[in-house]
Amino acid sequence: MLDDVPRGAYGRTQQSKRFADIGVTVPTIHDVAKAAGVSISTVSYALSGKRSITPATRARIDEAIAALGYRANAGARMLAGTRTQILALSAPMHAETHPPAFMSFVVSIAAAARRSDYDVLLLTGSDALADLERVASSKLVDGIVVMDVATDDDRIDLLRDLRLPAAVIGVPDDVEGLTCVDFDFEAAAGLAVDRLTAAGHRSIGLLGHSAALYERRSNFAPRFRDAFLLAAAERGVATAFRATDPTGATDDVAALRTILPEMTALVLNCNEEQHRRVLRSLETHAVAVPDALSIVSACSSFSTDVMSTPLDVIPLPAERSGRRAVELALAQIDGDAVPHVELIPPSYEDKGSVRAR
């Protein structure tokens, strides 16, 4: 290991010298050993856990590490069989990926990992299986977080085979042996329907994401759609669903009205640009919100306050989901987790876009 290279004539390792040349002093394992009054091999045993040492010696080494700010390099930790302090984030990007929503989750995961002194290795390649196998075989990471899960995601079986600590953001069809966390899209759909029916609406339309997102069996979009249609049917509400046209060439609201002409309320489960198109269409046709049409924005990772008309919203808590996924992955690394599914309950924010009939 580089840290174990003998000191040169100037009393520092070559690693320390490189940094000293640019005015930065980096503590080495030699420095820790000297400060703790023990041998280098004793420090190495303390870091790797391969041999037992006395509590008093361990305490001196820990104090020296804290005082010096020493951190073993990742290569040394891998060779020693200890933690690398790196999590892999499997988040393959595809044609339907919406960058703002995607990045809200990535940032939340990276921030949560950083708070626990972990870095994140982002895997966005189209061959997600190969990426996961590569980082697992290299022993580069301590655990994995998987996001943008499909209902029949190929990565799930591989996660079981790899036997690395892993947390999944999403709920695939087969959750056996998995630790999953996700927003409760089913409860969010029921909440949207309940709010609108409580306001007297009996004909409620749903505009969803682009059709391609449903065709690729993305986890979240079909779950909300199916739960919404079921909740409406159980409450005796007339409803219709339409996937939005990502090109903007189609007036989605007008198309939905041809299916549901008596529509008095609309739920938007789509990205912010599609929200803006809907509001522009309504303004063009002089359809006032909420006087002529009540609207609820469901599972949105963006603020609806900045829309031309602020919309009632059931927020998608990306920060909370990402933070919890990291916590669950780290708990597995520590051996303190049991496979289970956690669902984050929805909340409702009233912005004045729903009016009682």
Side-chain angles (χ1 to χ4, degrees), residues 209-291:
H209 295 273
S210 66
L213 204 58
Y214 300 91
E215 291 167 0
R216 67 182 295 271
R217 292 180 59 76
S218 180
N219 176 261
F220 62 93
R223 283 172 56 198
F224 184 89
R225 176 200 61 194
D226 296 347
F228 174 88
L229 296 176
L230 178 60
E234 289 176 343
R235 293 156 180 77
V237 173
T239 189
F241 164 77
R242 175 179 171 81
T244 49
D245 178 357
T247 69
T250 304
D251 187 326
D252 292 312
V253 177
L256 191 57
R257 280 196 184 279
T258 63
I259 311 170
L260 195 66
E262 302 301 318
M263 181 175 68
T264 61
L266 177 63
V267 174
L268 300 178
N269 180 224
C270 45
N271 66 46
E272 61 265 46
E273 181 54 35
Q274 290 161 339
H275 275 60
R276 293 189 181 94
R277 287 177 187 146
V278 166
L279 292 176
R280 285 197 296 267
S281 171
L282 295 177
E283 291 165 2
T284 298
H285 294 92
V287 178
V289 179
D291 296 338

Side-chain angles (χ1 to χ4, degrees), residues 2-7 13 28-35 40 70:
L2 183 59
D3 281 342
D4 291 329
V5 175
R7 291 177 184 268
T13 66
T28 70
I29 193 171
H30 301 268
D31 300 321
V32 174
K34 182 177 180 180
I40 294 170
Y70 171 77

Side-chain angles (χ1 to χ4, degrees), residues 3-173:
D3 281 342
D4 291 329
V5 175
R7 291 177 184 268
Y10 295 98
R12 63 171 76 102
T13 66
Q14 295 303 307
Q15 181 189 33
S16 292
K17 182 178 185 304
R18 286 199 303 272
F19 285 96
D21 289 342
I22 59 172
V24 178
T25 300
V26 178
T28 70
I29 193 171
H30 301 268
D31 300 321
V32 174
K34 182 177 180 180
V38 298
S39 67
I40 294 170
S41 61
T42 300
V43 176
S44 179
Y45 296 147
L47 293 174
S48 68
K50 288 186 175 181
R51 294 190 187 179
S52 60
I53 56 176
T54 66
T57 300
R58 177 76 210 207
R60 293 205 309 275
I61 293 171
D62 287 343
E63 289 173 2
I65 288 173
L68 295 170
Y70 171 77
R71 292 187 65 183
N73 64 66
R77 287 194 296 268
M78 285 187 286
L79 290 173
T82 56
R83 297 184 183 181
T84 66
Q85 299 299 116
I86 300 173
L87 290 175
L89 172 55
S90 177
M93 300 186 71
H94 46 78
E96 293 76 44
T97 298
H98 186 59
F102 175 88
M103 286 307 302
S104 67
F105 280 91
V106 172
V107 169
S108 72
I109 291 165
R114 188 65 271 161
R115 286 192 292 270
S116 295
D117 200 29
Y118 264 78
D119 293 311
V120 172
L121 176 63
L122 182 57
L123 308 175
T124 60
S126 58
D127 194 342
L129 297 180
D131 286 343
L132 285 174
E133 289 177 333
R134 173 169 49 82
V135 297
S137 64
S138 69
K139 295 181 171 29
L140 182 61
V141 302
D142 296 331
I144 301 169
V145 175
V146 175
M147 60 175 274
D148 195 19
V149 176
T151 55
D152 54 353
D153 203 298
D154 291 340
R155 291 173 292 174
I156 299 307
D157 285 339
L158 179 60
L159 285 182
R160 296 189 181 101
D161 292 340
L162 293 177
R163 298 185 181 280
L164 269 174
V168 177
I169 300 178
V171 184
D173 288 341

